Amino acid sequence: MSRTPPGPKGEPLFGSSRRYAKDPFSFISALEETYDDVVNFDMGPMETYMVTDPTDIERILVSEADSYRKPDFQNDALGDLLGDGLLLSEGETWERQRELANPAFRMSRLMGMADRVTGHAESMVDGWEPGDTVDAEMEMARVTLHVILDLMMGVELSESRVDTVQNQLDPLGRRFEPDPLRFAMPEWVPMPGDEEFESAVAELDSVLDDIVAARRGRAGVEGVTTVLDAPTEGDDPPMDFLSVLLRAQGRGEQSAEMLRDEMMTMLLAGHDTTALTLTYTWFLLSEHPEAERRVQDEVDEVVGDDRPSMDHVREFEYLDWVINEAMRLYPPVFTIFREPTEPVELGGYRVDAGSTLMLPQWGVHRSARYWDDPETFDPERFSPERREDRPRFAFFPFGGGPRHCIGKHLSLLEAKLIVATVVSEYELDFQGETPLELMPSLTMHPRQTMEMELIER
């Protein structure tokens, strides 16, 4: 068994980090096209292995998940931001917190929340006028933020408090854009943008403090309104995630720090990926009028004059394919990192414990090995007939295995209800330049403003 896979030769000190930082998407694509299933390169001082074989990815994320963990390098600034929340915690802490979170994300609960998601989408559309131009990314971020605050924290924020949250997203995102100097420098070395990042974290902490204070019944918390689940026949307690955590804290099972970390994780990770999926969906539909008409026809036929609901979501077929195709071409999470806790074999190569593994959705989702004409927008590739023989992990926008995204079902429910609500009244016509330029951070954002004209149907 060969010890080291092939890969690009990097620069002294920086390895391949400067090339990766300049354009991680073209770097990932070039490696996927040039090499086999496992590629070795240095990311500054980190020896890194990019894995693109769906069978190996399934082993890492699912069947042998106990032999892998999230790398320590993800716990520096990201740890300052999200702490020991579900995204970063490990071992018993993660298992306990995941068990607490599960009831809030069960499909049986989410099914009863569909009308509230539709209500938020309707409120957004009510503020639009035909002929106006909107920033689709900002609009989608705003509506999905309202949804996560409502369904997972049991609150509504005033528009000014929502502005406060949204204004912090840029400095947070800039901190996680790939920077070869950060790859090479110790974490304690001050870098440009650190102060702005710390200020943004403090602002969001203040918002979360007010949300928790309002949920505890403190009077006069400005800009925060409590909105809990409707009582059930059995008088069950509210099952939004914050309610679950507050009850656990009352039993002595949650510290104030743990509660803060979970709320920050929910606030940011809970809406960003869905907002990006919707943004790329609108862009692709605008660029492909035939697909846009098929979505309109399906929504018109299924929903008619009703409000989009859970019953309608079950009937959507082509819309489901469109959303999946948007996540294939533009996966909001464009790569996942893991490290083995013991020596493993991947692609016929030995990989030592503690090595960094990169599992790139961007590279696998656009690989000609698993997709015909991979750069082409083709929603029907997700039809049952065409996906039957495709490897399962040729498409993994939500990760996989025990650490798959807990919000998967909520995200897809939101996306379908929001698209159906908007499509009933408007077409969104993209006004910017193509092809899209993409900006890497924790998630993949369009670099240009996603201006779209509202055309009344």
Side-chain angles (χ1 to χ4, degrees), residues 146-375:
H146 278 298
V147 170
I148 207 70
L149 289 166
D150 179 358
L151 271 59
M152 291 299 144
M153 299 190 192
V155 299
E156 289 183 1
L157 294 187
S158 67
E159 293 305 310
S160 64
R161 299 307 293 272
V162 171
D163 288 340
T164 298
V165 173
Q166 289 198 294
N167 290 340
Q168 311 316 311
L169 300 183
D170 279 347
L172 292 182
R174 285 195 297 271
R175 172 60 182 83
F176 297 104
E177 292 178 24
D179 182 342
L181 284 178
R182 287 195 185 274
F183 286 126
M185 294 293 181
E187 173 64 18
W188 53 264
V189 175
M191 297 286 287
D194 285 354
E195 289 186 9
E196 291 83 356
F197 170 77
E198 292 167 4
S199 175
V201 174
E203 285 282 355
L204 292 180
D205 278 335
S206 177
V207 172
L208 292 176
D209 287 344
D210 283 351
I211 289 173
V212 172
R215 287 296 314 276
R216 292 190 187 281
R218 197 182 84 193
V221 180
E222 185 177 353
V224 184
T225 304
T226 299
V227 185
L228 298 179
D229 296 2
T232 63
E233 290 184 8
D235 200 27
D236 292 331
M239 292 307 295
D240 62 273
F241 192 28
L242 181 50
S243 290
V244 172
L245 290 174
L246 289 172
R247 290 196 293 272
Q249 191 177 45
R251 299 190 299 268
E253 298 170 3
Q254 296 284 298
S255 67
E257 184 178 7
M258 292 169 69
L259 187 140
R260 175 266 178 205
D261 292 347
E262 295 297 358
M263 287 300 95
M264 185 68 81
T265 299
M266 196 60 58
L267 183 71
L268 299 179
H271 84 281
D272 181 52
T273 53
T274 308
L276 288 169
T277 294
L278 285 162
T279 300
Y280 294 125
T281 296
W282 295 125
F283 166 72
L284 288 164
L285 290 176
S286 177
E287 295 293 295
H288 298 86
E290 290 186 10
E292 183 177 48
R293 282 191 292 273
R294 282 192 64 177
V295 169
Q296 291 169 350
D297 290 345
E298 182 175 72
V299 170
D300 290 347
E301 179 181 349
V302 170
V303 179
D305 295 329
D306 295 335
R307 300 174 73 226
S309 69
M310 191 68 211
D311 289 339
H312 302 129
V313 166
R314 294 190 185 95
E315 295 186 49
F316 293 139
E317 180 181 66
Y318 189 71
L319 175 54
D320 183 67
W321 301 349
V322 164
I323 290 170
N324 279 332
E325 181 71 343
M327 291 189 292
R328 183 189 72 82
L329 284 168
Y330 297 102
V333 177
F334 62 92
T335 189
I336 294 173
F337 292 96
R338 291 289 187 272
E339 67 177 37
T341 57
E342 57 192 43
V344 295
E345 179 183 341
L346 294 170
Y349 301 101
R350 174 188 167 91
V351 177
D352 290 333
S355 301
T356 298
L357 304 182
M358 174 189 288
L359 317 178
Q361 286 99 327
W362 176 268
V364 179
H365 287 191
R366 289 172 171 251
S367 173
R369 288 181 281 177
Y370 312 114
W371 306 91
D372 296 330
D373 300 319
E375 302 295 319

Side-chain angles (χ1 to χ4, degrees), residues 3 19 41 187 273 295 337 368 388 397-398:
R3 183 172 179 82
R19 185 179 170 194
F41 60 95
E187 173 64 18
T273 53
V295 169
F337 292 96
E388 185 176 14
F398 296 100

Side-chain angles (χ1 to χ4, degrees), residues 375-416:
E375 302 295 319
T376 300
F377 176 68
D378 179 11
E380 291 190 51
R381 68 174 82 243
F382 285 94
S383 65
E385 301 79 21
R386 291 179 58 184
R387 70 186 181 204
E388 185 176 14
D389 296 326
R390 187 182 305 135
R392 177 185 172 194
F393 276 83
F395 180 66
F396 58 112
F398 296 100
R403 298 205 62 140
H404 74 278
C405 175
I406 195 172
K408 173 182 176 179
H409 296 303
L410 173 58
S411 179
L412 293 174
L413 175 65
E414 274 185 87
K416 293 171 189 177

